[in-house]
Amino acid sequence: MKKIFLLHIIFLFSVLQAQELKNFVTPKGYKKLVETKGDLDKDGKEEIIIVFNSTKKVKSFYDRESPQRELFILKKINGKLKIWKKYSTIIFPQEIGFSPESDPLPEISIKKGALNITQSFSTNSRHRMTYKHTYRFQDDDFYLIGSLQNFDDNCEFNMYDEINFSTGKAIVDQKYYPCFPEDKKAPAEDFHKEFYYKPKKLVKMNNFKPGDNLIKVPKSDKQLQY
């Protein structure tokens, strides 16, 4: 009897959810860039995650007009694709960085129920920035639970910032090297610091802009960027 009641509740929930969510149709003029699948809410069913170039324009680096990129998370309910979530700030626009034509597309993957997004772009002819952000569905929403950043020069420095918002563990590691044969020493001293930082509340995925956030590193003049 309990099993029948539970199945009835699950069926009613599916019906209500299908009624609430809008049908998904690729918006006119949108170009699909990447797609992956995985179970994000642990209901035993795979969601579909797609990143598009949209028809909307935003200001990007070097004051360029760029197509905004949007991420959709879709559910398949009763054979139809439904829009579960949509985000417009977590994916960098197309025309970001020094040479966007040579930058890779965002990488989207799902591991242990968490959504991982990796993005990389050049900031000039020698420097490359790479971000990896991890989001998890909990408490009826998606939250940022981890960030990793690499900022690398092709000969002079490597900078690494990492934070796990679930455990609070944070790492800032900066290494410097003499770049040219005539350089007698590195441009700065190496720096390494591990510390703990627990925010009062986790950052929601729909409020997050990668790279726009800083945490002061204790007992130093450094900052962790995420």
Side-chain angles (χ1 to χ4, degrees), residues 122-187:
S122 58
T123 59
N124 63 27
S125 60
R126 284 176 39 178
H127 299 162
R128 175 157 291 275
M129 182 75 78
T130 300
Y131 290 101
K132 179 182 177 181
H133 293 99
T134 301
Y135 308 89
R136 179 177 289 143
F137 184 74
Q138 56 193 46
D139 299 328
D140 295 321
D141 212 334
F142 281 93
Y143 291 86
L144 176 70
I145 61 167
S147 173
L148 184 154
Q149 173 194 285
N150 276 303
F151 183 39
D152 293 328
D153 180 273
N154 61 15
C155 71
E156 195 170 60
F157 63 78
N158 301 109
M159 298 185 181
Y160 177 88
D161 292 349
E162 182 178 4
I163 183 165
N164 183 320
F165 288 104
S166 297
T167 64
K169 185 176 181 180
I171 301 171
V172 172
D173 188 80
Q174 300 177 358
K175 290 183 171 63
Y176 298 89
Y177 314 92
C179 192
F180 302 102
E182 62 270 20
D183 293 338
K184 295 181 179 180
K185 62 178 183 178

Side-chain angles (χ1 to χ4, degrees), residues 39-79:
D39 186 1
L40 293 170
D41 57 359
K42 299 180 181 178
D43 65 351
K45 300 177 182 178
E46 288 188 328
E47 281 72 50
I48 301 168
I49 300 90
I50 306 177
V51 176
F52 291 95
N53 265 357
S54 78
T55 55
K56 302 167 188 175
K57 299 290 185 178
V58 292
K59 286 285 186 180
S60 186
F61 282 15
Y62 307 104
D63 203 33
R64 290 194 294 251
E65 286 281 335
S66 173
Q68 184 183 65
R69 287 177 169 171
E70 297 180 355
L71 182 144
F72 287 76
I73 303 178
L74 310 176
K75 282 183 171 291
K76 195 169 187 179
I77 301 174
N78 298 327

Side-chain angles (χ1 to χ4, degrees), residues 100-121:
E101 67 281 353
S102 62
D103 291 334
L105 292 174
E107 295 179 13
I108 314 293
S109 65
I110 298 171
K111 186 176 181 181
K112 295 181 179 179
L115 177 64
N116 301 292
I117 301 177
T118 301
Q119 304 180 82
S120 179
F121 59 91

Side-chain angles (χ1 to χ4, degrees), residues 8-24 39-47 73-78 80-85 137 140 142:
H8 183 64
I9 292 296
I10 293 173
F11 174 75
L12 286 177
F13 177 78
S14 298
V15 171
L16 290 172
Q17 189 178 50
Q19 290 175 344
E20 291 175 358
L21 301 181
K22 294 181 179 179
N23 290 334
F24 171 73
D39 186 1
L40 293 170
D41 57 359
K42 299 180 181 178
D43 65 351
K45 300 177 182 178
E46 288 188 328
E47 281 72 50
I73 303 178
L74 310 176
K75 282 183 171 291
K76 195 169 187 179
I77 301 174
N78 298 327
K80 294 183 179 180
L81 288 179
K82 302 278 186 174
I83 301 173
W84 185 31
K85 303 288 182 180
F137 184 74
D140 295 321
F142 281 93

